[in-house]
Amino acid sequence: MTVEKTSVMGPYGAASRDIQHQRDTVASHINRANEALWHLNKAIHLHPELCFEEVFAHATLTAFLKSQGFQVQCHAYGLNTAFMAETGHGGRLVIICAEYDALPGIGHGCGHNLIATSSVAAFVGASKTLLELGIAGRVRILGTPAEEGGGGKIKLINAAAFAEDVAAAIMCHPIPLEQIKDGWSGTAGFRTVASRRFKVEFHGKNAHAGQEPWNGVNALDAAVGAYTTTSMLRQQVRPDERIQAIIEHGGTASNIIPDYTRMSWGLRGPSIMHVDALADRVKACIQSAATATGCSVTHQEEPPYMELRVNDALCNEYITEMAALGENVLYMDDKPSSAGTDMGQYAPRAHSHQLKDQYRHFADWLIVGNVSHAVPSFHGMFGIPTPPGVPMHHREFTTASATDAAHKAAIRAGMGLAMLAIRVLSDTELAARGKNDFETV
């Protein structure tokens, strides 16, 4: 499956010819690797793994990179399922992030097999073009586990994976094509909400449900009470806020008063400040349920994900490169997505001290905090065909993410990412504009 090259010369003479030569070189290297990338894509899709358990994906991705002639650092930065490879020398540094974890029960219902494919394709294309054309700079692929909970990129940031002077951190994510405005095949400026996740455990007292239920302290009642009161709270929250909860453990037998239950919670809102205020309200409902039933309650927090920062310079360059491939990419949708990602988590610098105090219970939290708030970043979206009405995190999206059409979209996005990396490395003015956008948002 070869992705066609489109010649876009423009009015700038030799400079345009140089850019077109870069495009042709990127496309040639990615097309040469495309069959192997297809097998890579299918293998990861057929072996879905949850956060921090991506052993097969780690082995498959690192083996592919080694087969392409790259030196790979496995188990990078102290994380068993992270990896890193880098090419080039001198100049600026661009990091291409690759995700590959899946969802419980439905596999790659968020299409992270396609993210891995597009990111690896981008690294192959950019790296080999960098070396062939003698462009100064470095391209690094960073395997980032545990995006679907666990905040793998947070751990990588705290392990100094983004500590250097990074010119750009880039990646792309699949989305149902019908969710993009008619006539557009992707979105450059993907905006997300902030989110928080936490576990809640209620502790009560066992008793025989038939013989002496009055001697029990019912932890299931506490969980149901928490769920019910927050369901009523939903009527009083903002339209752009979300409260999500499930009961993960509700007891062991119907004739035993449960002494232990566990719930998983997710909160979303337009900013981390909104989410924190919502969390206070939700936790008041949880505490009231514990008090009403006589249970004790404990909380286990995950690091929050902050909203993504959109970088104008990087978005517009990606749009230009995708147009050269015949793709019509929208700059930004009218409304932010209700999704969250660890590509954009935590702490705008203006609030870093307050947030550090607020989140001091996260042992691995550092002020550097997140990707799009730590370095200039690009997180685009590419559309893949799905049946009508199918969203992400759905079994039919899992199926759609394994199709030939989805793979072709991922490869085209990978070409756009590769050229974005090359342009940031070779164009000092673009790199400066990307840094300025990052510093002034």
Side-chain angles (χ1 to χ4, degrees), residues 6-126:
T6 303
S7 178
V8 180
M9 291 299 293
Y12 302 109
S16 292
R17 287 194 293 272
D18 287 345
I19 294 172
Q20 188 59 44
H21 184 41
Q22 292 170 351
R23 291 171 180 156
D24 292 342
T25 307
V26 163
S28 176
H29 285 300
I30 293 179
N31 279 327
R32 198 172 301 150
N34 192 34
E35 184 177 352
L37 286 164
W38 169 237
H39 291 297
L40 174 78
N41 181 5
K42 290 291 287 185
I44 294 173
H45 187 273
L46 290 170
H47 295 84
E49 297 165 303
L50 303 183
C51 59
F52 295 122
E53 298 175 2
E54 309 96 334
V55 175
F56 177 87
H58 175 276
T60 302
L61 289 161
T62 55
F64 173 86
L65 291 169
K66 291 175 183 177
S67 75
Q68 292 290 312
F70 299 108
Q71 292 186 343
V72 183
Q73 180 184 345
C74 298
H75 321 300
Y77 298 101
L79 293 182
N80 187 50
T81 54
F83 64 87
M84 188 268 283
E86 185 175 301
T87 58
H89 61 276
R92 290 177 284 275
L93 169 64
V94 172
I95 297 178
I96 302 171
C97 296
E99 297 173 4
Y100 34 88
D101 62 327
L103 293 160
I106 63 172
H108 282 288
C110 211
H112 288 192
N113 59 303
L114 298 173
I115 296 176
T117 301
S118 63
S119 293
V120 170
F123 179 71
V124 169

Side-chain angles (χ1 to χ4, degrees), residues 140-205:
R140 175 186 301 166
I141 187 166
L142 185 62
T144 61
E147 191 277 336
E148 295 289 353
K153 295 186 188 68
I154 299 174
K155 294 181 182 295
L156 287 166
I157 291 167
N158 292 338
F162 296 85
E164 298 174 66
D165 186 13
V166 179
I170 63 177
M171 62 171 288
C172 264
H173 197 299
I175 189 174
L177 189 58
E178 69 169 19
Q179 290 186 8
I180 307 171
K181 285 186 176 181
D182 288 345
W184 303 90
S185 61
T187 304
F190 181 58
R191 295 181 294 165
T192 66
V193 296
S195 66
R196 287 180 62 176
R197 298 180 184 182
F198 55 92
K199 304 277 188 181
V200 169
E201 295 177 308
F202 293 103
H203 303 272
K205 179 184 175 183

Side-chain angles (χ1 to χ4, degrees), residues 388-416:
V390 171
M392 291 189 289
H393 290 209
H394 190 282
R395 284 184 174 84
E396 289 196 52
F397 192 84
T398 303
T399 302
S401 69
T403 62
D404 289 353
H407 177 76
K408 184 174 182 179
I411 292 298
R412 295 179 84 84
M415 288 184 177

Side-chain angles (χ1 to χ4, degrees), residues 120-350:
V120 170
F123 179 71
V124 169
S127 294
K128 295 190 175 185
T129 299
L130 188 78
L131 298 176
E132 180 176 333
L133 303 185
I135 298 170
R138 293 176 292 150
V139 179
R140 175 186 301 166
I141 187 166
L142 185 62
T144 61
E147 191 277 336
E148 295 289 353
K153 295 186 188 68
I154 299 174
K155 294 181 182 295
L156 287 166
I157 291 167
N158 292 338
F162 296 85
E164 298 174 66
D165 186 13
V166 179
I170 63 177
M171 62 171 288
C172 264
H173 197 299
I175 189 174
L177 189 58
E178 69 169 19
Q179 290 186 8
I180 307 171
K181 285 186 176 181
D182 288 345
W184 303 90
S185 61
T187 304
F190 181 58
R191 295 181 294 165
T192 66
V193 296
S195 66
R196 287 180 62 176
R197 298 180 184 182
F198 55 92
K199 304 277 188 181
V200 169
E201 295 177 308
F202 293 103
H203 303 272
K205 179 184 175 183
N206 279 143
H208 193 293
Q211 185 174 354
E212 48 175 18
W214 52 86
N215 285 330
V217 178
N218 197 319
L220 180 58
D221 284 349
V224 172
Y227 190 93
T228 301
T229 53
T230 52
S231 292
M232 291 186 285
L233 176 63
R234 286 190 180 100
Q235 184 182 8
Q236 310 301 324
V237 303
R238 294 164 50 101
D240 52 5
E241 294 177 337
R242 300 288 186 271
I243 303 171
Q244 300 140 351
I246 60 169
I247 298 175
E248 292 185 331
H249 183 84
T252 55
S254 61
N255 63 346
I256 302 173
I257 299 295
D259 67 342
Y260 172 81
T261 54
R262 184 179 67 251
M263 302 183 74
S264 178
W265 293 79
L267 309 178
R268 300 173 189 259
S271 73
I272 197 64
M273 301 303 178
H274 285 93
V275 174
D276 287 345
L278 180 61
D280 289 341
R281 300 172 70 187
V282 169
K283 288 183 177 181
C285 294
I286 293 169
Q287 183 58 55
S288 70
T291 301
T293 57
C295 292
S296 62
V297 60
T298 57
H299 300 262
Q300 180 183 351
E301 300 271 359
E302 293 184 14
Y305 287 8
M306 195 174 177
E307 64 277 11
L308 276 168
R309 298 173 69 185
V310 173
N311 190 294
D312 181 73
L314 299 181
C315 286
N316 282 316
E317 190 65 27
Y318 178 79
I319 289 170
T320 297
E321 292 307 323
M322 292 303 286
L325 293 167
E327 297 291 338
N328 196 16
V329 174
L330 180 67
Y331 173 76
M332 187 185 296
D333 208 344
D334 297 333
K335 297 180 180 179
S337 166
S338 59
T341 174
D342 66 355
M343 188 69 177
Q345 66 260 12
Y346 265 161
R349 286 179 294 277

